[in-house]
Amino acid sequence: MQRIETISLTEADLSRAVDILNTGGLVAFPTETVYGLGGDARDGKAVARIFQAKDRPSFNPLIVHVAGIAEAKKYVHWTDDADRLASAFWPGPLSLVLPLRDGHGLSPLVTADLPTLAIRIPAHPVAQKLLQAFKGPIAAPSANPSGRISPTTAAHVHAGLDGRINAVIDGGACEVGLESTIVGLAKHPTLLRPGGIPVEAIEAALGHSVDRVVTSESINAPGQMRSHYAPQASIRLDAQRPRENEVFLGFGPVDADLNLSQSGDLVEAASNLFSHLHTLDRTGQPIAVSPIPNRGLGRAINDRLQRAAAPRSEG
Ligand code: TXA
Ligand code: MG
């Protein structure tokens, strides 16, 4: 695999960072919480590269960063509680989970195909300038390899991701040093992850209490909510060819109804996964899927396909 150049950027070089984002590349940037690993949230391949760079074994939903409230409202259904929390804490270390709007234009990989989106307006001046210059939504998990601690300096990002991303903007040490607080507003207000803003401050701004989800399972693995990922149709994995009556989701140089990647490119395959599954599911026929190599992004693709293929008892 080609070694990716790593560049340090100063604030004056933001146009270079914007060029990288516009061409599907990855730029780590400082926020007030931790350094984020940013990619264009509308570009499925850029989002797939985020998962690849972090070497995540599954597709967790990512937080989308925007410059202002008007932009947030383009992607999610807004509520009164969202208004209260946004006026109190944005820009700042708070992420809100709200229902996705139709026609949002984001890659389905960003939300791991959930019907909700985690969104935030960061306060860090470099993050703000980057978002204003890019004029679009930036998907950004913490800029660390999967399973390692979150980076609070550009040096941490270099240590973890050197050679795997295009650039890091060095904005010094992060002030908060702890990830954003995540509040779910899609249903009853719920604390989904404690973080930079204490829950008491959230409750004071809302004028009422919030539910607390404290198990790390439910926070970090919404993939366990199997029903979100399961197509209506049955799925058969590791299929060399379809049986009569099945539609075929191919990978590599095979004759198929839809192909995740004819050339066997796992980044392309990940970016097509959810949309192809939805398209084939609409045929109402069972879906057979080519074998996907279980390396790199292939592990996350297989994880999701196995969930979709698992027998389901719950709704
Ligand atoms: O401070 C932060 O939030 C940093 C900076 C870079 O903004 N970002 C960050 O992202 O911590 P990440 O990917 O490391 O954590 C995102 C968390 C995950 O636990 C994920 O499960 C949750 O947000 N999440 C994202 N979308 C969600 C959704 N629609 N519903 C529930 N949880 C969601
Ligand atoms: Mg993280």
Side-chain angles (χ1 to χ4, degrees):
M1 197 205 228
Q2 197 185 335
R3 197 184 152 80
I4 301 166
E5 182 193 2
T6 303
I7 321 150
S8 272
L9 294 174
T10 62
E11 275 190 52
D13 292 325
L14 284 183
S15 65
R16 169 91 183 102
V18 169
D19 287 346
I20 292 171
L21 291 173
N22 276 329
T23 49
L26 303 186
V27 178
F29 63 97
T31 81
E32 68 279 20
T33 59
V34 300
Y35 274 72
L37 176 55
D40 184 342
R42 300 159 298 194
D43 179 342
K45 284 191 191 170
V47 178
R49 286 188 192 105
I50 292 176
F51 288 103
Q52 182 184 51
K54 286 180 67 80
D55 202 18
R56 264 189 171 169
S58 59
F59 295 122
N60 285 354
L62 306 178
I63 296 170
V64 167
H65 300 66
V66 293
I69 291 188
E71 207 187 2
K73 289 179 178 173
K74 293 202 305 206
Y75 302 110
V76 290
H77 288 288
W78 203 243
T79 66
D80 290 345
D81 278 343
D83 234 16
R84 290 184 188 103
L85 293 182
S87 356
F89 304 113
W90 274 359
L94 172 71
S95 298
L96 298 178
V97 174
L98 289 157
L100 264 174
R101 288 184 92 98
D102 285 345
H104 52 76
L106 304 175
S107 159
L109 256 196
V110 167
T111 60
D113 212 28
L114 289 169
T116 55
L117 176 70
I119 194 158
R120 111 172 167 93
I121 302 176
H124 195 290
V126 175
Q128 273 288 331
K129 283 193 184 122
L130 179 65
L131 284 161
Q132 276 156 25
F134 179 55
K135 300 186 177 69
I138 300 181
S142 50
N144 51 285
S146 182
R148 303 259 294 274
I149 53 170
S150 296
T152 55
T153 65
H156 294 161
V157 177
H158 276 286
L161 296 176
D162 229 350
R164 297 205 223 168
I165 64 175
N166 298 83
V168 54
I169 306 176
D170 189 347
C174 301
E175 204 178 307
V176 179
L178 186 71
E179 280 95 343
S180 62
T181 301
I182 305 180
V183 177
L185 293 176
K187 292 180 186 151
H188 185 76
T190 304
L191 177 69
L192 296 174
R193 179 177 74 182
I197 294 174
V199 66
E200 291 79 6
I202 302 278
E203 291 178 330
L206 287 175
H208 58 76
S209 67
V210 300
D211 291 343
R212 287 154 211 231
V213 173
V214 279
T215 70
S216 60
E217 296 297 288
S218 52
I219 302 163
N220 290 313
Q224 295 198 329
M225 295 180 285
R226 202 172 262 170
S227 59
H228 280 126
Y229 301 111
Q232 299 295 312
S234 71
I235 296 205
R236 187 168 65 87
L237 302 180
D238 293 325
Q240 297 301 335
R241 63 188 65 81
R243 296 178 183 147
E244 203 186 326
N245 182 44
E246 284 178 335
V247 286
F248 192 33
L249 179 58
F251 177 82
V254 291
D255 193 13
D257 294 284
L258 283 177
N259 203 312
L260 289 170
S261 172
Q262 196 88 38
S263 66
D265 175 358
L266 289 166
V267 168
E268 185 183 17
S271 73
N272 285 328
L273 179 65
F274 292 119
S275 58
H276 281 9
L277 279 176
H278 283 289
T279 305
L280 291 180
D281 200 25
R282 283 197 289 273
T283 66
Q285 288 167 258
I287 304 168
V289 188
S290 282
I292 314 286
N294 210 35
R295 61 177 158 77
L297 269 179
R299 288 182 302 144
I301 296 172
N302 281 322
D303 169 76
R304 183 47 36 87
L305 285 170
Q306 278 151 14
R307 283 177 208 280
R312 47 208 98 114
S313 45
E314 71 264 68

